Amino acid sequence: MNGKRYSRQRELIYETLMHTNEHPTAEMVYQWLKPENPSLSLGTVYRNLNVLADEGRIRRMAFPVERYDADLHAHPHFRCDKCGAVYDMDFPYNSELDRRALETSAHQVEGHEVIFHGVCVNCKTLH
Amino acid sequence: MNGKRYSRQRELIYETLMHTNEHPTAEMVYQWLKPENPSLSLGTVYRNLNVLADEGRIRRMAFPVERYDADLHAHPHFRCDKCGAVYDMDFPYNSELDRRALETSAHQVEGHEVIFHGVCVNCKTLH
DNA sequence: TTAGGTGCAAACAATTTGCCGTGTT
DNA sequence: AACACGGCAAATTGTTTGCACCTAA
């Protein structure tokens, strides 16, 4: 009753994502597909990106809203998949990683962030 | 000529951030301060969070917009501070980190992400 | 006195949703 | 024929900005 059926638009969007390494935004996908598919709408792109992500065929990559931290010391964070809360993690910064990133890429690497995710203590005990 | 002067609101916001580990959003800071400071406006909170972040007194923690990736294999990313482009990095996944995170925290850690940042090849050569 | 700061509301940007006609099964 | 899907536009949500007034220096 709640099954997905084939949709040309959804497959187009998925194929687009499969064949790029640009980690595009919804808007980018829309702009790429629009010329060949003039009737495509931005809402459809958003809807299908969400469907694909919920099905696990693609991955979302972002914090949904901006958050702020007064602790300037580089440290990893943990983000709860359930409630969205962000916690500090007490790990040393691994600058070795930055050195290796510099070696293996052509970018000017200036640092990195580590973000763990899962279910936080709070959500775990509440249910 | 372009100097900052003292502002009660800015210090309030900064103090709030200093005394929490919740990595709050602008909205959260606003809600916390509002009861004691009824005239405070949300725009002021945003403005001062940006000022503080630009001065380097606090840190922003987010990708500005959602991006998508069809590569489900866990791999680190590089995000350009100048143009916002996101690139893949070719590093092995370090599941050792997840094990240690599980040990040192009370959360149910399910994985992690590594995000490097700096200036990408493209922006580097263009200027 | 004067440039920077604030409140407020309007503008903007990113994303979601309701409605209704279309397409897949 | 049933019901998921897409187009469109309106609604929501997160964030920025213009303007008139206020305040630290």
Side-chain angles (χ1 to χ4, degrees):
Chain A
M1 60 233 313
N2 209 16
K4 299 288 170 217
R5 51 179 69 162
Y6 172 84
S7 124
R8 169 172 162 70
Q9 285 85 338
R10 184 147 59 235
E11 285 316 306
L12 263 176
I13 290 165
Y14 180 64
E15 285 306 311
T16 304
L17 239 59
M18 285 292 281
H19 293 104
T20 183
N21 56 0
E22 285 193 49
H23 310 78
T25 62
E27 181 67 34
M28 287 163 77
V29 172
Y30 175 67
Q31 292 300 340
W32 293 346
L33 292 175
K34 189 71 176 173
E36 308 267 298
N37 307 267
S39 76
L40 180 68
S41 84
L42 184 53
T44 297
V45 174
Y46 274 107
R47 227 172 338 222
N48 280 310
L49 285 171
N50 281 330
V51 169
L52 291 168
D54 289 345
E55 290 178 347
R57 295 175 69 192
I58 66 172
R59 240 155 52 89
R60 292 192 182 89
M61 355 179 352
F63 279 141
V65 288
E66 186 93 47
R67 304 186 81 111
Y68 302 88
D69 190 352
D71 184 354
L72 301 177
H73 177 263
H75 58 282
H77 293 104
F78 175 92
R79 178 163 189 284
C80 179
D81 293 329
K82 284 242 193 309
C83 70
V86 177
Y87 300 82
D88 288 323
M89 296 291 270
D90 194 18
F91 270 59
Y93 185 80
N94 184 358
S95 46
E96 170 67 19
L97 266 186
D98 294 331
R99 236 204 44 226
R100 279 205 283 151
L102 242 165
E103 280 168 13
T104 61
S105 81
H107 309 304
Q108 178 183 318
V109 180
E110 278 160 16
H112 72 269
E113 219 183 319
V114 178
I115 302 163
F116 294 92
H117 70 97
V119 183
C120 75
V121 229
N122 216 30
C123 289
K124 221 169 52 172
T125 53
L126 285 179
H127 173 252
Chain B
M1 61 241 303
N2 208 16
K4 298 288 172 219
R5 57 175 67 161
Y6 173 83
S7 128
R8 170 173 160 69
Q9 285 86 335
R10 183 147 58 236
E11 285 318 306
L12 263 176
I13 290 166
Y14 181 63
E15 285 306 311
T16 303
L17 239 59
M18 285 292 282
H19 293 104
T20 184
N21 56 0
E22 285 193 49
H23 310 78
T25 62
E27 182 66 35
M28 288 163 77
V29 171
Y30 176 67
Q31 293 300 340
W32 292 345
L33 292 175
K34 188 72 176 173
E36 309 265 299
N37 307 267
S39 76
L40 180 68
S41 84
L42 185 53
T44 296
V45 173
Y46 274 106
R47 226 168 346 217
N48 280 310
L49 285 171
N50 281 330
V51 169
L52 291 168
D54 290 344
E55 290 178 346
R57 295 175 69 191
I58 65 173
R59 238 155 56 88
R60 293 192 183 89
M61 352 178 357
F63 279 142
V65 288
E66 186 95 45
R67 305 186 80 109
Y68 302 87
D69 190 352
D71 184 354
L72 301 176
H73 177 263
H75 59 282
H77 292 104
F78 174 92
R79 177 163 190 283
C80 180
D81 293 329
K82 284 242 194 310
C83 71
V86 177
Y87 300 82
D88 288 323
M89 296 291 270
D90 193 17
F91 270 59
Y93 187 81
N94 184 357
S95 46
E96 169 67 18
L97 266 186
D98 294 332
R99 236 204 43 226
R100 279 206 284 152
L102 241 166
E103 279 168 13
T104 61
S105 81
H107 309 304
Q108 179 183 317
V109 179
E110 279 160 16
H112 71 269
E113 218 183 320
V114 178
I115 303 164
F116 293 93
H117 71 97
V119 183
C120 75
V121 228
N122 216 32
C123 289
K124 220 171 51 174
T125 53
L126 284 180
H127 176 249

